[in-house]
Amino acid sequence: MRTSKIRRRKLCNWMFVMAVCFLLCGAAACGSSGNQPENTSKQEDFAIADLAGTPSDYAKEENWLKIPEITHEVDTFYLYPTCYSDESEKAKPICDIDNEEMQAAAREVYEKQGTVYEESTNVFAPFYRQSNIFQVVVLSHEELEEYQRGVQRTDVYAALDYYFENYNDGRPFILAGHSQGSIMTKIVLEEYMKAHPEYYERMVAAYPIGFSITRDWLEEHPHLKFAQGADDTGVIVSWNTEGKGNKGKNNLVVEPNAISINPINWKLDDTYAGFEENLGSRILDEETGTYEIVKGIADAQVDAERGVVICTAENVEYAPAILFGPESLHAYDYDFYYENLRENVKTRVEAFLKTK
């Protein structure tokens, strides 16, 4: 049955901040030096020379949020959302990779999101430099994605290079993220993976959740394909979650011509998946400080015209309306469908391994 109340009265405040933060990357400078980032344009033939700034050193273990013991046949490379906000006068527009606030928030969000991949894969997660919410301005979707090709991309690519050369050992892998991490995953898919087909052929799936994958983008990058069901591999799996009240409203993570898959029944059409079909949401109990799997919280139905997943959950706190619309459930993209996502990762991993 549907829960009468989610035990936490609200999500951790930083969760909403990070959801806002990655969307507000703009006129402020980038990089620890405070210099304006090089505005590199999209190019089909990506080269390392196109990257902005000096990459962080991923030979240093302290520049990794997670380096796991190898217990599975498949890896996950996970990119967390924006986790840096500093309103002090001397705040840097882009935090250093060893910024304690950013790293602490990243560890928290890993517990909410990255853990969903742990049952079936070895999860690797790099720290990477991020924009300060208080020193940036709102950009359009196009400007935002272009802006992320600064030192953010430089760090992510350096982490990928080090991962493949030193940690992966030829295993299949998943790419995963949320919000800003999903923008970075999109860039990796369109650019890095095209430049490295020897890696791309081992990709089980990509989960850039919480930022739009559009039909136009897929047409521009024909080497990529969106998931058609629960067990296809080498595909992109993504969705954005909203309430019905967001229909027709601006949501800065929802682009025109977007695609979402239903995270309960793994269909692209409007087949409704009820509360009873949800295997369980992962919710923080504020009293105990622990996460619990709770059933009956979230349903799901794809709005194919808008390209989102509609959820009718009650007693939730919506993301800031000024950016995401009055009923955005952006902060719950992972939480509400945690157990279904965990099971789907297992399903796609098993399907991929059967083909090898």
Side-chain angles (χ1 to χ4, degrees), residues 278-289:
N278 191 325
L279 299 178
S281 304
R282 194 167 187 257
I283 303 300
L284 177 65
D285 187 326
E286 287 189 335
E287 295 181 1
T288 65

Side-chain angles (χ1 to χ4, degrees), residues 294-328:
V294 184
K295 294 187 177 182
I297 286 181
D299 59 351
Q301 185 173 26
V302 171
D303 180 339
E305 179 182 4
R306 185 168 169 84
V308 299
V309 168
I310 300 299
C311 176
T312 62
E314 298 178 350
N315 300 305
V316 296
E317 182 170 342
Y318 294 114
I322 192 172
L323 294 176
F324 300 96
E327 291 190 12
S328 168

Side-chain angles (χ1 to χ4, degrees), residues 153-348:
R153 178 178 69 164
T154 300
D155 271 9
V156 169
Y157 283 12
L160 279 165
D161 285 345
Y162 195 85
Y163 160 73
F164 280 117
E165 293 167 8
N166 296 277
Y167 293 141
N168 175 254
D169 198 25
R171 288 184 296 276
F173 63 92
I174 286 171
L175 297 175
H178 188 247
S179 293
Q180 181 180 173
S182 290
I183 297 177
M184 303 315 300
T185 301
K186 282 185 66 175
I187 295 172
V188 168
L189 285 165
E190 73 177 54
E191 200 173 69
Y192 188 94
M193 287 299 150
K194 184 174 182 180
H196 292 284
E198 73 278 17
Y199 300 154
Y200 182 50
E201 67 182 10
R202 301 203 310 269
M203 190 186 81
V204 175
Y207 290 87
I209 298 166
F211 196 82
S212 288
I213 300 298
T214 68
R215 292 178 178 83
D216 298 333
W217 181 77
L218 290 169
E219 289 178 1
E220 292 172 6
H221 306 287
H223 65 288
L224 303 173
K225 56 184 178 179
F226 200 84
Q228 300 298 305
D231 61 356
D232 44 350
T233 61
V235 296
I236 299 170
V237 185
S238 182
W239 65 87
N240 282 289
T241 315
E242 295 185 326
K244 292 181 178 179
N246 246 33
K247 184 77 172 182
K249 306 297 183 180
N250 184 54
N251 184 340
L252 290 179
V253 296
V254 178
E255 298 185 9
N257 216 16
I259 308 174
S260 281
I261 196 167
N262 190 312
I264 295 179
N265 62 25
W266 306 105
K267 295 182 178 181
L268 296 173
D269 62 22
D270 63 356
T271 301
Y272 176 71
F275 295 89
E276 69 283 356
E277 297 178 67
N278 191 325
L279 299 178
S281 304
R282 194 167 187 257
I283 303 300
L284 177 65
D285 187 326
E286 287 189 335
E287 295 181 1
T288 65
T290 59
Y291 286 93
E292 297 180 357
I293 300 299
V294 184
K295 294 187 177 182
I297 286 181
D299 59 351
Q301 185 173 26
V302 171
D303 180 339
E305 179 182 4
R306 185 168 169 84
V308 299
V309 168
I310 300 299
C311 176
T312 62
E314 298 178 350
N315 300 305
V316 296
E317 182 170 342
Y318 294 114
I322 192 172
L323 294 176
F324 300 96
E327 291 190 12
S328 168
L329 294 167
H330 179 68
Y332 295 97
D333 285 328
Y334 270 79
D335 305 57
F336 277 176
Y337 308 110
Y338 188 94
E339 284 296 288
N340 290 81
L341 175 55
R342 183 187 59 77
E343 186 65 24
N344 185 249
V345 170
K346 180 180 178 181
T347 297
R348 293 188 198 274

Side-chain angles (χ1 to χ4, degrees), residues 43-87:
Q43 298 184 16
E44 286 299 313
D45 296 323
F46 152 75
I48 196 71
D50 296 328
L51 300 181
T54 302
S56 297
D57 185 0
Y58 289 97
K60 296 180 178 179
E61 289 191 11
E62 60 265 31
N63 285 342
W64 289 86
L65 164 61
K66 182 78 171 180
I67 302 174
E69 294 184 12
I70 304 304
T71 57
H72 299 287
E73 296 180 69
V74 175
D75 294 344
T76 290
F77 187 90
Y78 166 79
L79 297 172
Y80 52 85
T82 303
C83 296
Y84 174 56
S85 61
D86 186 347
E87 58 183 334

